[in-house]
Amino acid sequence: MSLSFARRALARLHVVLASLIALMVGLFLAVPTAPTAAASVGPLVSADFFGGLDAGRWQVVDPVGDAAVSVVGAGTGDARLSIAVPAGAEHDAWGPNESVRVLQPVEDTDVEVAAKFDSVPAGTYADQGLQIHGASGKWLRFGVYSHGPTKLLAFAAATTGTSSTMKLKQEVTAPSGQMWLRVSRSGSQFTFDYSADKQSWTTIGSFTSDLTVTAIGPYSGNSGTNAPAHTAQVDYVFNTASPITPEDGGLDSDGGGDGGGGGDPEDTTAPQITQVQATPRTESAQISWTTDEPTTTQVQYGTDTSYGHTTPPTTTATTNHDHTLTGLTPQTTYHYRITATDTAGNTTTTNDATFTTTEDGPPQIDLWHEEPLTVGLHGTPQPWINVLGNVSDPSGVATLSYSLNGGAERALTIGPDDRRLQALGDFNADIDLADLQMGDNTVVLRATDNDGQTTTVTTTVRRVQATAPALPYTLEWSENQPLQDQATVVDGKWDVVNGAVVSTRLGYDRVIALGDLSWRDYEVKVPFTVSTIGPEAKTGTSGDALVGMAMRWQGHRAFRDDQPAWRYFPVGSYAWLRLYDTWPKLEILGNHSVPSEWVYPDPRKFQFGEPYWMKARVETLLDGTTRYSFKMWLASAGEPASWSLQIVSEGPATGSVGLIAHHVDAAFGTVEVTPL
């Protein structure tokens, strides 16, 4: 007899006892193990369990026979479905599927289902989530299980008969008490999203399945030699196309929708869409805009107001949006409108707007700065000036180069390059300040496509006599003057919105530098807000998302013949918040990462969308080394008295300040720099 079989046999010996326990737990509402009357099969009907469990719609499946399933708190704002599995026996959502699930028969159609759990798996291999069942013994699992006291993994699998195959697996943020899961089905594609706070969603991934859907519902399970007891507390299961609003009869302040959060009042305000911009090309168009809160979005477009085409909805909620419409006809007028949906399910759709694609021609070069690009008005924060933009062509861009003041052409790298050039067609001409003359300098960019057609664009770089800004120094971001007249954009495209500087194209090391290379000892303080993590984080060479600053910044240095240069040493120090999928971590690094220190902030949960402060200090010691200090805190909590991290490092004796938004949608407020 196998150990697994023995455990199952023992579990079945306790069926009678477990049934008595289930009866006691469910005195308020007895839950049958099968529907008493067949419900008509249609789209998934949302449930918040306020009125109990509809036995005509939901079916309890308990293969081992020892679970306790009930609705607790029915009729109150705390109503939830409780699915309890005992310790010792396995209830594994794998192979023959011995997990306990509560399923609703549904029609085979596209759907997005969201569930809020008021429980978090704790014991090793405790498990909860959603299952989607189909015909021919096929079913899919989308859940979260515990792998020790602090590690939580999102997991998806597909099963046919008793053969299961892992599809997705990713470590996720361990929440405190609540979590949200979302599964969307579009044809044969299934997409899995997870959130620890309802505000910031992580897309675990997508995969295809030929499943003919017959039922959907939540489950609870466990596995392993010492399978732990686990009770999944399901606050609601919603078809996001028809959620229950207000949830729990309005007694639950969570607000329903596809998430909720810790007693916040119900969000009924639709998002605002602003700064809409269309950039048409020959066979494509780029539509960009911002929203006043994190939203998912999509664009409808076509040659008339019936549109006919719709982009797939984004899966990550953010405030800066950028969609590229492809497959368009040259020299054609298109209509479009934008739909944005916040995390509470509130939706806004813009009025109809139009753009006209260009004729089939040579490459198009889009510069990301205003004319002229001025150098020196705000000091010299690095030894280079960066001419940034994007080049595109339907047939593909073969070469891109620039010349300075009529000199020789210098080849430019066209993105993506897995580092500073994030997107297709991005470029960054890093021009040495020593090559610039005082006054106006002419930079000519030349692009040639694969058909041999060439485009040249001329821009002016104006160099003025630079004077180091005196300390104390305050930089209040202004929408009424060019950004490059206020600071130096090192990477990406930035804009000033509501008094804060924002990276409008998320990506690798979006850096903006300020101050002067001659600054020596100073303290810098800046408020910031992070709305979300960008979808490209943790891909290629990117690693985790970061938000923070560089002290005694020196600019990038070339490694071999890289263009643009990407080596980020020497530097005084880097200090940032590393936004892991689990707990965030404060870090400070010296020159060439030596020394390095880190600490988990308290509390360890980072609050997306909330204002924070960061402060750093640079002070030269008597022996010639430098002490770097760093702290970060939630604005509403007040500044802590002590520094979170301190290191002593050897490195540059002077340098400027760099603000860093590495794969995050971040906004930085007024910067204050004071001398020591």
Side-chain angles (χ1 to χ4, degrees):
M1 178 184 294
S2 69
L3 179 61
S4 177
F5 181 83
R7 283 198 299 268
R8 294 169 188 170
L10 179 61
R12 285 171 172 81
L13 291 176
H14 293 279
V15 168
V16 175
L17 178 60
S19 299
L20 291 173
I21 295 173
L23 180 63
M24 295 174 65
V25 173
L27 284 177
F28 186 88
L29 176 70
V31 181
T33 58
T36 57
S40 60
V41 176
L44 178 70
V45 177
S46 297
D48 61 1
F49 310 108
F50 180 74
L53 189 68
D54 184 350
R57 191 175 302 280
W58 295 92
Q59 177 181 7
V60 177
V61 182
D62 181 9
V64 178
D66 59 355
V69 180
S70 64
V71 170
V72 296
T76 73
D78 197 32
R80 59 191 184 277
L81 174 66
S82 174
I83 311 173
V85 296
E90 288 184 301
H91 307 79
D92 201 359
W94 188 262
N97 194 8
E98 295 190 329
S99 66
V100 182
R101 57 263 190 197
V102 181
L103 300 175
Q104 180 183 143
V106 297
E107 65 183 11
D108 182 34
T109 187
D110 289 352
V111 67
E112 183 178 78
V113 55
K116 178 192 173 193
F117 290 82
D118 288 337
S119 55
V120 178
T124 300
Y125 300 125
D127 182 26
Q128 65 187 30
L130 293 166
Q131 290 184 12
I132 301 180
H133 285 247
S136 305
K138 295 183 177 181
W139 56 280
L140 305 177
R141 158 191 175 181
F142 303 88
V144 173
Y145 72 90
S146 173
H147 195 286
T150 61
K151 189 172 185 178
L152 203 63
L153 296 169
F155 187 87
T159 301
T160 299
T162 59
S163 177
S164 295
T165 303
M166 183 185 75
K167 292 294 185 179
L168 304 168
K169 184 178 180 181
Q170 181 175 322
E171 186 173 352
V172 295
T173 305
S176 56
Q178 298 175 325
M179 53 179 282
W180 290 258
L181 303 180
R182 186 169 62 196
V183 179
S184 58
R185 184 253 183 127
S186 178
S188 62
Q189 180 166 288
F190 292 80
T191 301
F192 182 26
D193 300 311
Y194 166 85
S195 178
D197 59 3
K198 178 192 170 185
Q199 302 302 317
S200 177
W201 287 86
T202 298
T203 298
I204 306 304
S206 301
F207 62 92
T208 59
S209 171
D210 61 357
L211 188 75
T212 301
V213 176
T214 60
I216 298 174
Y219 75 91
S220 179
N222 59 10
S223 61
T225 305
N226 298 304
H230 178 61
T231 301
Q233 302 280 359
V234 189
D235 190 10
Y236 55 72
V237 178
F238 283 177
N239 181 336
T240 61
S242 54
I244 297 174
T245 305
E247 186 209 351
D248 286 348
L251 299 177
D252 186 349
S253 60
D254 178 43
D258 64 347
D264 292 336
E266 180 181 353
D267 178 6
T268 59
T269 303
Q272 296 182 24
I273 301 174
T274 58
Q275 301 187 50
V276 178
Q277 181 176 349
T279 304
R281 300 185 176 94
T282 307
E283 297 179 349
S284 65
Q286 184 181 53
I287 313 296
S288 61
W289 66 95
T290 63
T291 50
D292 64 337
E293 59 178 317
T295 65
T296 55
T297 55
Q298 58 188 150
V299 179
Q300 293 176 282
Y301 64 99
T303 54
D304 54 40
T305 53
S306 63
Y307 304 107
H309 302 277
T310 304
T311 62
T314 57
T315 56
T316 301
T318 183
T319 57
N320 292 294
H321 309 274
D322 196 333
H323 284 234
T324 299
L325 314 182
T326 58
L328 308 183
T329 303
Q331 293 183 284
T332 303
T333 298
Y334 283 85
H335 295 256
Y336 72 97
R337 64 183 182 183
I338 301 163
T339 298
T341 304
D342 66 19
T343 54
N346 304 304
T347 297
T348 295
T349 300
T350 61
N351 295 326
D352 180 71
T354 62
F355 63 84
T356 301
T357 52
T358 59
E359 62 180 338
D360 189 7
Q364 296 184 13
I365 299 175
D366 176 25
L367 293 175
W368 292 345
H369 59 80
E370 299 180 83
E371 292 277 359
L373 177 57
T374 306
V375 184
L377 282 179
H378 47 77
T380 305
Q382 62 174 17
W384 330 99
I385 185 67
N386 298 98
V387 178
L388 300 151
N390 183 274
V391 60
S392 61
D393 188 275
S395 66
V397 180
T399 62
L400 178 67
S401 63
Y402 81 93
S403 63
L404 175 65
N405 294 329
E409 290 197 4
R410 306 176 187 181
L412 291 175
T413 304
I414 304 171
D417 71 348
D418 211 20
R419 289 192 185 273
R420 296 177 66 186
L421 304 179
Q422 181 66 44
L424 180 66
D426 284 358
F427 64 84
N428 186 336
D430 42 2
I431 302 174
D432 194 329
L433 295 185
D435 293 337
L436 296 176
Q437 63 190 17
M438 285 295 171
D440 287 354
N441 296 260
T442 301
V443 177
V444 178
L445 294 153
R446 183 186 303 274
T448 303
D449 67 14
N450 289 323
D451 295 329
Q453 300 181 90
T454 299
T455 293
T456 59
V457 170
T458 301
T459 187
T460 299
V461 177
R462 180 172 298 163
R463 186 176 185 184
V464 301
Q465 187 62 50
T467 301
L471 298 178
Y473 175 75
T474 301
L475 175 53
E476 296 181 351
W477 305 103
S478 173
E479 301 175 44
N480 300 320
Q481 66 179 124
L483 177 58
Q484 289 278 13
D485 288 356
Q486 305 172 62
T488 294
V489 175
V490 179
D491 278 299
K493 187 176 182 181
W494 296 72
D495 199 3
V496 178
V497 180
N498 298 325
V501 66
V502 180
S503 176
T504 57
R505 288 174 181 257
L506 308 188
Y508 182 101
D509 278 7
R510 306 296 88 166
V511 176
I512 189 164
L514 58 102
D516 196 84
L517 287 166
S518 67
W519 280 2
R520 183 173 176 83
D521 292 348
Y522 53 82
E523 190 170 273
V524 55
K525 177 182 177 183
V526 59
F528 72 97
T529 302
V530 175
S531 298
T532 189
I533 295 175
E536 296 89 4
K538 303 187 73 130
T539 60
T541 59
S542 287
D544 302 292
L546 308 168
V547 59
M549 67 173 71
M551 294 164 275
R552 290 187 180 170
W553 167 253
Q554 299 288 308
H556 292 90
R557 293 293 189 274
F559 179 68
R560 299 190 180 96
D561 296 322
D562 297 295
Q563 197 292 311
W566 59 266
R567 294 292 293 267
Y568 38 85
F569 295 110
V571 72
S573 174
Y574 290 108
W576 49 49
L577 180 72
R578 182 180 294 272
L579 291 166
Y580 284 117
D581 288 330
T582 51
W583 291 322
K585 185 168 72 172
L586 284 176
E587 295 179 336
I588 189 167
L589 311 176
N591 189 28
H592 295 284
S593 296
V594 179
S596 63
E597 297 288 343
W598 57 269
V599 66
Y600 287 115
D602 188 18
R604 298 181 179 182
K605 180 181 177 183
F606 183 78
Q607 299 182 33
F608 289 90
E610 291 294 323
Y612 281 76
W613 284 91
M614 67 173 102
K615 179 188 281 189
R617 177 182 291 175
V618 184
E619 51 187 330
T620 304
L621 303 179
L622 293 176
D623 62 0
T625 59
T626 303
R627 179 163 51 225
Y628 296 93
S629 308
F630 186 64
K631 67 173 84 171
M632 187 178 288
W633 67 95
L634 186 65
S636 60
E639 180 178 354
S642 59
W643 295 102
S644 301
L645 291 167
Q646 287 188 315
I647 60 171
V648 175
S649 175
E650 296 181 352
T654 61
S656 63
V657 174
L659 303 179
I660 302 170
H662 178 69
H663 291 298
V664 291
D665 182 1
F668 297 97
T670 298
V671 184
E672 302 174 26
V673 187
T674 55
L676 296 187

